[in-house]
Amino acid sequence: MLIDGHNRKVDYLRISVTERCNFRCQYCMPEKPFSWVPHENLLTFEELFLFVKVSIDEGITKIRLTGGEPLLRKDLSVFIKMINDYAPNIDLAITTNAFLLSTYAQALKDAGLKRLNISLDSLNKETAHYIAKKDVLNEILAGIETADQVGLKIKINCVPLQDINDKEILDLLEFCKNKNYEIRFIEFMENSHANVKQGLNSQEIQNIIASKYKFEKTKKDGCSPSQSYTLEDGYIFGIIEPHLDNFCSDCNRIRLTAEGYLIPCLYFEDALSIAEAIKKRDLGEAVNILKNVLKNKPEKNKWGDENNSNRAFYETGG
Ligand code: SAM
Ligand code: SF4
């Protein structure tokens, strides 16, 4: 079992398989990303898999592949199959913007993927274009449809932004409710790379939903970052509320970047690389590094501190 320096059990590994992305979302990525890690610096899927195996052996039970846009990385489904064959009971998911999902949904399903989270910020073509800085809505909707048809369980992520997509909260909720997908609204997390001025906070999101629906706060599900709310008809939606003071209290996550940096927290600069240990096949050393990073996992994120991390969400995987 993996325990951090504040006695929290860590069983969730998020792997950013690439920082590259085919979108330039206003809340995530600047128009000109400051750098792309050269391909030769990325850990290969074989190398990442070595780390995945020891992490599972040490107590990781949940893995999410994210990015950047994970579907841009060639052979993602091969990596998924490696993980699934090694640990068929692991809770394995990906987070994607769905632009390429029509093409890859069947391969992902065949590789053993059961569920995925899809970012959908607007049902309006122009607004979706404005947010992603690219005409994306048709492809996203087609991707969602295909994923559904092949039998992947879908959750939708949406970041409500003031004066941009905030008028669509009910439309997005109803779109998901009709299709029986859970929607999770994520409070915009301020960071130095975003072009967005302001996002909606949890209370503002709830007020909009309360203008049409009655709902109750549901008991929080384990370490999930999402607070669930249940409508009268039983439909459940979630809000990820990172601005809440106790957001970090039951954090169970550790992040690995495509280059091999283990990051203990989204808003925390210190990270250690496992790349050298993995390339030398020194898995004992990789586990030591993992344990050291966990020892230094901060009790609370350093959001708002002067020494706040400058890492972007597209590098860490959100
Ligand atoms: N490209 C994929 C996607 O967009 O779904 C995966 C990577 S993205 C960094 C992962 C999640 O982080 C997405 O749901 C996205 O909405 C969220 N995200 C990115 N920047 C954010 C921010 N500043 N505040 C809140 N959520 C953010
Ligand atoms: Fe790309 Fe996802 Fe960031 Fe949008 S949120 S720019 S899709 S990594």
Side-chain angles (χ1 to χ4, degrees):
M1 192 192 296
L2 294 165
I3 303 284
D4 77 1
H6 302 281
N7 224 13
R8 292 170 297 198
K9 183 173 158 191
V10 173
D11 57 7
Y12 181 12
L13 173 66
R14 294 178 65 102
I15 306 176
S16 168
V17 294
T18 176
E19 58 174 0
R20 291 170 195 245
C21 191
N22 41 1
F23 289 13
R24 296 285 179 272
C25 298
Q26 303 270 0
Y27 50 74
C28 177
M29 197 178 284
E31 192 88 51
K32 286 202 176 72
F34 39 86
S35 69
W36 291 134
V37 175
H39 284 296
E40 59 271 22
N41 288 14
L42 300 186
L43 291 179
T44 64
F45 280 145
E46 285 69 25
E47 289 165 343
L48 286 173
F49 182 54
L50 290 175
F51 185 71
V52 164
K53 282 197 289 188
V54 288
S55 311
I56 293 173
D57 297 347
E58 290 292 326
I60 293 292
T61 59
K62 181 172 175 179
I63 296 179
R64 176 170 301 274
L65 307 182
T66 172
E69 175 45 40
L71 295 181
L72 286 183
R73 182 120 182 214
K74 205 168 145 264
D75 292 336
L76 186 75
S77 51
V78 175
F79 186 42
I80 287 175
K81 182 161 168 27
M82 288 158 125
I83 301 173
N84 198 52
D85 286 350
Y86 184 70
N89 294 327
I90 201 105
D91 181 1
L92 178 62
I94 70 169
T95 301
T96 172
N97 63 30
F99 192 80
L100 299 170
L101 194 54
S102 293
T103 309
Y104 292 118
Q106 187 66 58
L108 294 170
K109 173 78 179 161
D110 294 345
L113 190 73
K114 293 178 191 68
R115 60 189 197 88
L116 76 186
N117 287 20
I118 297 174
S119 297
L120 174 68
D121 293 316
S122 176
L123 292 166
N124 176 290
K125 207 169 154 52
E126 282 74 40
T127 308
H129 190 156
Y130 175 76
I131 294 173
K133 300 195 193 133
K134 175 168 168 171
D135 186 12
V136 292
L137 186 62
N138 290 347
E139 284 79 0
I140 297 176
L141 294 178
I144 293 175
E145 189 63 34
T146 314
D148 202 350
Q149 276 165 11
V150 304
L152 289 164
K153 186 163 185 266
I154 294 170
K155 281 187 188 171
I156 300 291
N157 290 343
C158 167
V159 182
L161 305 167
Q162 209 169 60
D163 300 326
I164 299 177
N165 62 350
D166 51 353
K167 307 286 176 298
E168 287 191 65
I169 286 181
L170 285 170
D171 289 348
L172 284 156
L173 180 96
E174 284 163 3
F175 171 83
C176 293
K177 186 163 152 8
N178 290 337
K179 303 229 178 225
N180 207 19
Y181 310 148
E182 183 178 328
I183 185 166
R184 288 139 46 110
F185 297 101
I186 308 175
E187 285 181 343
F188 166 59
M189 298 171 76
E190 295 76 8
N191 67 87
S192 52
H193 309 283
N195 301 318
V196 171
K197 290 206 177 55
Q198 192 144 15
L200 269 61
N201 66 31
S202 175
Q203 193 54 57
E204 290 167 328
I205 297 166
Q206 289 178 58
N207 290 347
I208 291 173
I209 298 173
S211 69
K212 184 153 176 191
Y213 295 100
K214 283 197 174 137
F215 58 86
E216 277 186 355
K217 196 170 181 169
T218 315
K219 197 170 169 297
K220 209 158 175 278
D221 170 23
C223 296
S224 167
S226 176
Q227 172 63 56
S228 298
Y229 297 85
T230 310
L231 300 190
E232 278 185 314
D233 65 3
Y235 175 73
I236 294 175
F237 69 92
I239 306 183
I240 299 183
E241 304 164 323
H243 292 88
L244 279 187
D245 206 39
N246 64 355
F247 185 71
C248 306
S249 61
D250 51 8
C251 180
N252 62 343
R253 270 149 278 163
I254 178 106
R255 293 174 164 81
L256 178 66
T257 70
E259 288 179 275
Y261 281 99
L262 270 175
I263 300 176
C265 171
L266 261 187
Y267 286 88
F268 186 63
E269 191 56 37
D270 295 358
L272 291 177
S273 174
I274 53 151
E276 207 184 312
I278 290 291
K279 283 182 191 297
K280 285 195 309 213
R281 303 297 187 260
D282 187 347
L283 301 183
E285 177 59 9
V287 170
N288 285 340
I289 296 169
L290 169 62
K291 290 189 174 162
N292 261 331
V293 171
L294 290 182
K295 205 162 74 190
N296 287 326
K297 186 170 160 66
E299 187 169 14
K300 284 184 78 167
N301 66 50
K302 304 291 174 198
W303 206 355
D305 279 18
E306 243 174 62
N307 298 329
N308 186 355
S309 167
N310 210 28
R311 248 180 245 112
F313 276 49
Y314 65 86
E315 294 173 287
T316 52

